[in-house]
Amino acid sequence: MADRIPQHIAFIMDGNGRWALSKGLQRSIGHKYGIKALKRTFQYVFDLGIKYMSIYALSKENLKRPKEEIQTIMGLLDEYIDSSLPDLLKNKIRLNIMGDISILNDFSREKVNQALKDTASFTDRVLNIAFNYSGRDEIIRAVNLAVKEGHKELNQDILEKHLYSAGIPDPDLIIRTSGEQRISNFMLYQSAYSELYFTKTLWPDFSKKTLEAAINSYSNRHRKFGDIK
Ligand code: FPP
């Protein structure tokens, strides 16, 4: 494995629909296999000692999709929280949610809130899920929260405290699958100096090998953060 590994990897898990259609299956089946890939990836990431993992599970813009597909993804969040909570607790990984979960039904929202409470005391490692999330909205929300608190002028410190990701370092590496090469309103503020890695692999096929290729690429990059060194 590469010598220099990122401490925070974010995933734009793209290509579930195309994966399913290419196999003559419904798009929703692609999302179900997407969850399998997510569970495998969760294991690889935390086994490598990476402390923070972010995933883009649903964008606000995805809500334009047919209702049935959105219902499937909501159901998968429910199932994912159920099946992953024991792992989060066992490995002392805090769950964090970015986005507006008021769209969930009472039962699912309660479940997510309970999982947030149950893992709230863990400080070392975080699984960060973007759900019904928009990077632009997150920034506007942060500004509004700060203004409501009485701040007349903001700085980076104040703004960052009001982002959904408060307390989580910026992603070092953002991986997008399926060959698309854009950020799609994901962690806009936090990705200022993230290294980007694009792979043609469709998310349901994402494997340890794909992850290792991304981390190897990352470890060979020279991050300057605007400096000349
Ligand atoms: C992009 O594939 C993927 C999504 C919009 C959702 C990602 C969701 C999952 C992996 C499952 C849900 C996860 C949780 C934790 C609830 P796409 O449908 O845009 O694929 P396409 O570009 O091939 O159509």
Side-chain angles (χ1 to χ4, degrees):
M1 196 61 250
D3 326 327
R4 198 164 58 85
I5 63 165
Q7 69 162 338
H8 182 177
I9 307 189
F11 295 89
I12 303 181
M13 309 179 289
D14 200 3
N16 296 343
R18 273 164 286 166
W19 182 90
L21 295 177
S22 75
K23 294 184 154 38
L25 302 168
Q26 285 181 342
R27 294 178 52 83
S28 295
I29 307 286
H31 296 314
K32 289 188 184 153
Y33 278 84
I35 287 282
K36 288 178 195 275
L38 171 57
K39 287 183 180 170
R40 292 195 303 268
T41 307
F42 171 90
Q43 199 65 45
Y44 306 145
V45 163
F46 288 109
D47 281 356
L48 282 170
I50 291 161
K51 292 184 163 198
Y52 306 91
M53 170 171 170
S54 293
I55 55 167
Y56 206 177
L58 186 72
S59 74
K60 209 167 173 181
E61 291 74 24
N62 288 149
L63 296 187
K64 292 179 227 156
R65 294 183 179 199
K67 218 172 152 192
E68 189 225 325
E69 186 170 338
I70 300 304
Q71 289 300 337
T72 300
I73 295 178
M74 288 194 194
L76 287 173
L77 177 69
D78 215 63
E79 185 215 302
Y80 182 66
I81 298 289
D82 271 342
S83 59
S84 303
L85 188 56
D87 281 340
L88 295 174
L89 294 170
K90 191 173 99 201
N91 296 297
K92 295 193 179 350
I93 298 171
R94 178 164 74 83
L95 175 69
N96 189 65
I97 300 279
M98 305 196 294
D100 175 11
I101 58 164
S102 70
I103 57 162
L104 295 175
N105 64 39
D106 292 353
F107 181 75
S108 302
R109 202 174 50 251
E110 217 8 79
K111 192 182 289 184
V112 172
N113 283 330
Q114 191 58 48
L116 290 170
K117 270 188 219 143
D118 290 349
T119 62
S121 63
F122 304 142
T123 48
D124 279 3
R125 304 197 277 174
V126 178
L127 172 68
N128 183 36
I129 304 182
F131 193 86
N132 190 21
Y133 170 84
S134 146
R136 286 183 174 173
D137 280 6
E138 178 187 31
I139 295 168
I140 295 166
R141 173 181 174 273
V143 171
N144 285 332
L145 288 172
V147 167
K148 260 193 207 140
E149 262 180 16
H151 293 285
K152 294 212 162 46
E153 198 176 317
L154 304 191
N155 55 35
Q156 291 192 15
D157 252 11
I158 299 170
L159 187 85
E160 285 163 14
K161 283 197 180 92
H162 294 86
L163 294 174
Y164 288 121
S165 60
I168 301 174
D170 292 342
D172 298 299
L173 173 64
I174 299 181
I175 300 175
R176 182 171 191 152
T177 54
S178 91
E180 306 295 340
Q181 302 193 2
R182 52 181 174 269
I183 210 80
S184 296
N185 211 1
F186 183 54
M187 301 189 88
L188 291 184
Y189 184 91
Q190 300 88 335
S191 62
Y193 282 100
S194 302
E195 295 294 328
L196 306 178
Y197 183 86
F198 302 105
T199 168
K200 288 202 167 115
T201 302
L202 302 174
W203 177 253
D205 290 329
F206 196 83
S207 65
K208 194 170 185 182
K209 231 171 130 185
T210 337
L211 179 67
E212 285 176 351
I215 295 177
N216 273 327
S217 164
Y218 170 86
S219 71
N220 290 320
R221 303 209 192 161
H222 181 47
R223 301 183 80 192
K224 297 190 294 185
F225 299 96
D227 206 338
I228 53 167
K229 287 184 283 205

